[in-house]
Amino acid sequence: MLLIRSVVRLVTAFVPFVTCFQLVVGLWPIPTNLNAGTTALRLSPSFSIDVKIPNAPADLSDAVTRTNTLLRQDKLQRLVVGRGVNDTQRIQAAKMLTTMSISISISSEAILDLTERSEGYTLTVPSDGSTAELTAESTLGLFRGLTTFSQLWYQLQNTTYTVQTPVKIYAYRGFMLDTARNFELYSTYGRPSITDTQSWPLQVAAVPELSAAGAYSSESVYSQTDVKDIISYAGAEIDTPGHTGSIAFSHPELVACSQASPWSIFANEPPSGQLRLTSNKSISLATSIFRSVSSDFPSKYLSTGGDELNTACYSQDNETQAELKASGQTLEQALNTFTQAIHSTLKAAGKTPVVWEEMVLDHNVTLSNDTIAMVWISSQNVASVVQKGFHVVHAASDFLYLDCGAGEWIGDDIANSWCDPFKTWQKIYSFDPLANLTSHQAKFILGGETLLWTEQSDPSNLDSIVWPRAAASAEVFWTGPTLPDGTVRNGSEALSRLHDLRYRFIERGVRAIPLQPLWCALRPGLCDLNYM
């Protein structure tokens, strides 16, 4: 299964420094502080980006090259009646922008705490053709700024232009993948949940037999080369001790209930199988995996999962019961021993553990105070996790699951899926990250993520399922509850900008679904049910 998570840090408050606000239609997510005018500006055919950074990292150089390519290849016309033809005289009289300079102060943000990272940037685009400037404290900030800059421009009669300068932006802004159920190369997406019970595609240097035996095929394997680009910024998830049935392909002696029947008794989905957490050999294998992966992923964060542990499996597994009796432990005590071992391994590697909410709410395990909990079962559970003192990343299935609404994928079940209905972009956009929390509790919310579990997704339909719905959550967590002019963030205002983003995606080869007929996109508000 492929899980796509867009992890975006939450903006809970901001102080605008601008005194006026002009909507820049193409920007998504809209920055927290924005000032824009109404003067047209052309982009020179010889436009260049001047990188004022000694020994600029390769990923930044790649981002600059990509931005230059997009500026030349995007052929998006403005989403207005006439597609911008009425801009002709303004364009002809406009000045020409030839250069943008970019600068930076730090570049190793991936190893910092989420609360210490700065993905903010300042972008200034004058209307007189003088040099535009993009500054940030990190390469991530520069990447966000380059993305915003590329959204300013449209094309008419082979001229690239904008009609909203001068622009002054100060902004602060992510996306994650489950890649086990259906194999998926994920270089364009985010943080991977990279193994599961169906397959083990990740090559682990210390335990190479896991992917050699557990991947769907020798071609369905994620090598270190495959993940190199994304792991510079992203963490990963290796779910344990549940969701590990694929380990049985290489280590059958360490997996309880492997492919037991009926699977519905022993697992949440087929095939059944989970690590015998009571086994010292299982603990040794798990710590070897996390020790090896920790050296591959530079991010400070690594998820050990902990969701959907099936206790019926363990209660009927003779070896697990024998080991519990021999050690004098209960199953919960054994789970605590297992968790302490793998989390100690992460701590020794300088990592912060991330877990699913069950590890906080349902199990009697000791977790360090800096452990981060992902809340997925219901958004209503956030307050209970926060009350226990843990920081939270929103992953609520009732708002943020992109796979809901496609019907049940179990072969002989004609019912709807467990998390129906379909989560529209409007539903996602309506999410309130701070609902039912006190001002003190709100400080424990780190951000949120949209998720796609891919039992029914693969490269053939991935874009259309994800985009542009996933972008809705980016603005929820990036922009915060209000727009730069102080009005409450709302779907009616957002729709025209989301249209713009979707059509820009199409220009860039992303097969995002349309939100409305083009007639509506060209006439904001006219297709509203209550339009007058």
Side-chain angles (χ1 to χ4, degrees):
M1 166 162 87
L2 173 69
L3 166 62
I4 297 179
R5 292 178 174 145
S6 178
V7 184
V8 184
R9 185 174 169 186
L10 176 66
V11 174
T12 56
F14 65 88
V15 181
F17 67 86
V18 299
T19 57
C20 63
F21 169 72
Q22 170 75 25
L23 177 65
V24 179
V25 172
L27 299 189
W28 193 282
I30 199 164
T32 50
N33 296 285
L34 165 67
N35 190 10
T38 58
T39 302
L41 181 69
R42 289 179 290 164
L43 192 71
S44 170
S46 60
F47 172 80
S48 63
I49 299 175
D50 182 12
V51 182
K52 295 183 176 296
I53 303 168
N55 302 313
D59 58 350
L60 177 58
S61 298
D62 291 343
V64 169
T65 299
R66 182 168 56 252
T67 301
N68 275 318
T69 300
L70 293 173
L71 290 171
R72 286 163 173 77
Q73 291 183 352
D74 280 0
K75 306 297 182 184
L76 180 63
Q77 296 178 318
R78 288 217 296 143
L79 290 178
V80 294
V81 176
R83 303 308 299 270
V85 69
N86 293 333
D87 300 328
T88 302
Q89 290 186 346
R90 297 171 65 192
I91 295 171
Q92 292 172 345
K95 300 292 185 180
M96 191 88 73
L97 179 65
T98 60
T99 307
M100 180 171 68
S101 67
I102 65 175
S103 57
I104 191 176
S105 59
I106 64 172
S107 60
S108 57
E109 65 276 3
I111 65 174
L112 299 176
D113 272 341
L114 284 174
T115 54
E116 297 175 3
R117 296 182 190 181
S118 174
E119 298 182 36
Y121 61 88
T122 299
L123 173 63
T124 304
V125 183
S127 57
D128 61 1
S130 57
T131 299
E133 295 182 354
L134 172 62
T135 61
E137 295 183 356
S138 67
T139 53
L140 275 177
L142 290 179
F143 176 78
R144 311 303 186 206
L146 288 169
T147 300
T148 297
F149 180 76
S150 73
Q151 293 175 344
L152 292 171
W153 306 94
Y154 301 92
Q155 184 153 128
L156 182 69
Q157 300 171 352
N158 296 318
T159 297
T160 303
Y161 73 103
T162 182
V163 294
Q164 295 190 285
T165 66
V167 176
K168 176 76 172 181
I169 293 172
Y170 174 75
Y172 166 85
R173 317 184 239 218
F175 196 88
M176 172 181 165
L177 276 180
D178 146 48
T179 53
R181 272 114 178 160
N182 282 319
F183 182 77
E184 177 74 32
L185 284 175
Y186 52 87
S187 59
T188 59
Y189 290 95
R191 186 167 69 93
S193 176
I194 205 164
T195 64
D196 212 290
T197 196
Q198 286 87 357
S199 77
W200 188 287
L202 177 66
Q203 286 185 348
V204 179
V207 200
E209 65 271 19
L210 290 174
S211 59
Y216 283 131
S217 72
S218 60
E219 296 179 349
S220 301
V221 171
Y222 300 118
S223 67
Q224 291 183 347
T225 301
D226 291 328
V227 301
K228 182 179 179 180
D229 289 341
I230 198 167
I231 64 176
S232 295
Y233 299 112
E237 174 174 281
I238 297 178
D239 206 344
T240 57
H243 291 273
T244 50
S246 56
I247 292 178
F249 293 115
S250 57
H251 295 274
E253 74 283 2
L254 301 183
V255 176
C257 314
S258 177
Q259 300 192 39
S261 181
W263 62 263
S264 57
I265 294 177
F266 303 105
N268 281 54
E269 62 180 52
S272 60
Q274 52 194 21
L275 272 176
R276 287 193 172 102
L277 55 82
T278 54
S279 166
N280 289 331
K281 291 182 178 180
S282 293
I283 294 174
S284 178
L285 176 68
T287 55
S288 295
I289 292 170
F290 283 104
R291 186 179 300 111
S292 182
V293 170
S294 292
S295 65
D296 293 335
F297 287 77
S299 171
K300 185 179 177 66
Y301 302 93
L302 208 158
S303 174
T304 63
D307 65 316
E308 298 183 332
L309 193 65
N310 189 284
T311 56
C313 167
Y314 289 133
S315 67
Q316 296 187 41
D317 182 62
N318 292 333
E319 292 189 37
T320 296
Q321 292 303 310
E323 287 166 342
L324 287 174
K325 184 176 181 179
S327 65
Q329 290 184 310
T330 64
L331 183 61
E332 286 293 305
Q333 290 171 332
L335 176 61
N336 186 61
T337 299
F338 179 90
T339 303
Q340 293 300 313
I342 58 176
H343 283 198
S344 294
T345 299
L346 292 183
K347 291 285 189 180
K351 306 295 185 183
T352 297
V354 182
V355 298
W356 292 106
E357 66 184 90
E358 293 100 313
M359 296 296 284
V360 175
L361 299 179
D362 297 343
H363 296 294
N364 186 23
V365 297
T366 301
L367 301 171
S368 59
N369 291 334
D370 62 343
T371 301
I372 295 171
M374 299 179 292
V375 177
W376 69 278
I377 295 175
S378 171
S379 57
Q380 299 300 312
N381 295 343
V382 171
S384 297
V385 174
V386 168
Q387 287 172 3
K388 290 180 175 288
F390 293 97
H391 285 87
V392 165
V393 169
H394 284 291
S397 59
D398 47 336
F399 282 90
L400 303 174
Y401 270 35
L402 300 177
D403 48 298
C404 304
E408 186 55 82
W409 60 272
I410 304 301
D412 56 353
D413 190 342
I414 63 172
N416 293 327
S417 67
W418 69 274
C419 63
D420 279 3
F422 183 84
K423 304 302 183 284
T424 65
W425 77 265
Q426 294 97 327
K427 175 71 172 181
I428 297 170
Y429 199 73
S430 71
F431 182 61
D432 180 0
L434 304 181
N436 305 314
L437 299 177
T438 66
S439 58
H440 171 71
Q441 292 172 332
K443 299 176 183 178
F444 289 87
I445 306 301
L446 295 177
E449 57 187 25
T450 46
L451 305 91
L452 174 60
W453 300 102
T454 59
E455 289 90 347
Q456 294 175 292
S457 301
D458 65 12
S460 68
N461 65 353
L462 183 61
D463 283 356
S464 61
I465 291 179
V466 173
W467 303 114
R469 287 191 297 152
S473 70
E475 188 151 296
V476 168
F477 295 107
W478 174 273
T479 304
T482 56
L483 297 171
D485 66 346
T487 60
V488 175
R489 176 175 49 78
N490 64 90
S492 296
E493 180 281 326
L495 180 56
S496 61
R497 290 186 295 107
L498 196 57
H499 274 310
D500 201 281
L501 179 69
R502 183 266 169 179
Y503 281 95
R504 197 174 293 278
F505 274 162
I506 296 299
E507 285 290 323
R508 298 177 180 183
V510 178
R511 294 168 294 180
I513 60 170
L515 300 171
Q516 289 180 319
L518 179 59
W519 191 93
C520 301
L522 299 179
R523 298 166 176 82
L526 265 65
C527 293
D528 290 356
L529 182 63
N530 297 314
Y531 176 77
M532 297 183 64

